[in-house]
Amino acid sequence: MLKWSKDAIHASLTDIPTKEAKKEAIRIFKNIQIYMNDRKTKNANLKPQQIAIDVATTGLKSPILRDEIFCQVVKQIQSNPNGQSSQKGWDLMILCLNCFPPDHDFENYLEVFLKNNSQPVDRYILALHTIIYSKARKFGAPTPTEYDQIVSGKNVHHPEFSDMAPPGAPSWQDLLMDWTEREEDGDLTFTSGKHDRGGGPVIAYNPKTLQAHLPVQNLLQNRNPWNQSRTEVLGRTH
């Protein structure tokens, strides 16, 4: 389940193709726990910003681990009993969103999660939209100074990020205005075809029943969690 845990994981949360990457996923989770103060470390000289930068750098260098990293951060944020730990998770989330995008298949789930849980919402949605719509740009790992700027909200890592959403990115107000409810499944909602989110399907679920429609097993182990027989998926543009 994608809920906070004080224990280590013994397998990756997502379907990762190589044994080496699976081992790396387990290491990353331990580092995330250390960064969020959910796990103690024997290395007293290890600074939190070093851990966070290491996680972000791993995602930059290994695309197959990006969804895994986002899933792990989501897991440690949800149902976290410690407010300070939870905030550290959000700091790591915004750092990762400044460094690499989620995979196409995970974009929608992450966007709905951010919309329903992040504060302030606009900050996280803007970062997600920008990183998705900036695929032609090359991003690098943040320096310690840039890390401080990102998590504090004083500045952002990349100059391409601005107060305005990137061209073509739908605003949440636009998405909400375009939602229509499917009669045979009142909990499932869709956007109109004019918003393709840079090539990804635009699908949204009623926040109150999101968990019921997105079983973790299907979401994480099946790279296409949307049930084609029950949903209407908008085609990609590329």
Side-chain angles (χ1 to χ4, degrees):
M1 294 289 292
L2 287 187
K3 290 186 178 181
W4 177 88
S5 174
K6 65 178 181 179
D7 301 318
I9 58 174
H10 302 289
S12 62
L13 300 181
T14 59
D15 187 11
I16 299 177
T18 67
K19 291 182 178 180
E20 293 76 12
K22 290 179 180 178
K23 290 181 180 179
E24 183 68 1
I26 295 174
R27 183 191 72 84
I28 292 171
F29 188 74
K30 289 181 179 179
N31 280 347
I32 290 176
Q33 288 182 307
I34 293 172
Y35 174 75
M36 295 175 64
N37 296 322
D38 295 330
R39 173 184 290 270
K40 294 182 179 180
T41 177
K42 296 180 180 180
N43 187 352
N45 296 321
L46 189 61
K47 297 181 179 180
Q49 64 177 202
Q50 292 176 310
I51 301 173
I53 291 173
D54 175 74
V55 172
T57 301
T58 301
L60 280 165
K61 293 182 177 179
S62 303
I64 62 174
L65 287 170
R66 291 175 181 176
D67 285 358
E68 176 71 21
I69 291 173
F70 282 120
C71 279
Q72 291 184 7
V73 176
V74 168
K75 174 180 173 65
Q76 291 305 97
I77 288 175
Q78 291 202 115
S79 302
N80 192 320
N82 187 304
Q84 292 182 339
S85 171
S86 178
Q87 182 55 54
K88 295 285 285 185
W90 284 114
D91 291 344
L92 188 56
M93 176 68 77
I94 197 66
L95 182 72
C96 291
L97 288 173
N98 272 260
C99 294
F100 53 84
D103 188 72
H104 279 306
D105 293 336
F106 194 65
E107 284 177 15
N108 186 73
Y109 176 84
L110 183 59
E111 188 161 1
V112 172
F113 172 79
L114 295 175
K115 173 61 174 63
N116 294 333
N117 296 278
S118 64
Q119 292 292 334
V121 174
D122 290 348
R123 180 189 183 200
Y124 292 87
I125 295 300
L126 173 61
L128 175 65
H129 281 175
T130 303
I131 203 72
I132 289 174
Y133 283 81
S134 301
K135 293 176 181 177
R137 299 167 183 163
K138 294 182 179 180
F139 299 119
T143 65
T145 299
E146 289 171 331
Y147 162 85
D148 292 337
Q149 292 174 335
I150 293 170
V151 300
S152 67
K154 294 180 180 179
N155 202 346
V156 290
H157 179 199
H158 307 293
E160 293 88 348
F161 283 64
S162 66
D163 292 333
M164 301 296 294
S171 69
W172 271 102
Q173 185 61 36
D174 291 336
L175 292 177
L176 288 171
M177 291 174 63
D178 288 334
W179 282 5
T180 57
E181 189 171 290
R182 188 178 181 183
E183 293 181 0
E184 60 268 34
D185 190 345
D187 296 324
L188 195 57
T189 54
F190 301 90
T191 64
S192 67
K194 72 178 183 179
H195 294 308
D196 59 29
R197 296 180 67 245
V202 188
I203 307 174
Y205 285 80
N206 184 317
K208 295 182 180 179
T209 55
L210 176 62
Q211 294 301 326
H213 288 288
L214 289 180
V216 174
Q217 181 68 21
N218 289 343
L219 174 66
L220 301 180
Q221 300 299 336
N222 182 353
R223 303 303 292 172
N224 181 19
W226 316 114
N227 187 332
Q228 297 289 342
S229 65
R230 296 185 64 237
T231 63
E232 174 185 345
V233 181
L234 301 179
R236 299 183 183 277
T237 58
H238 64 277

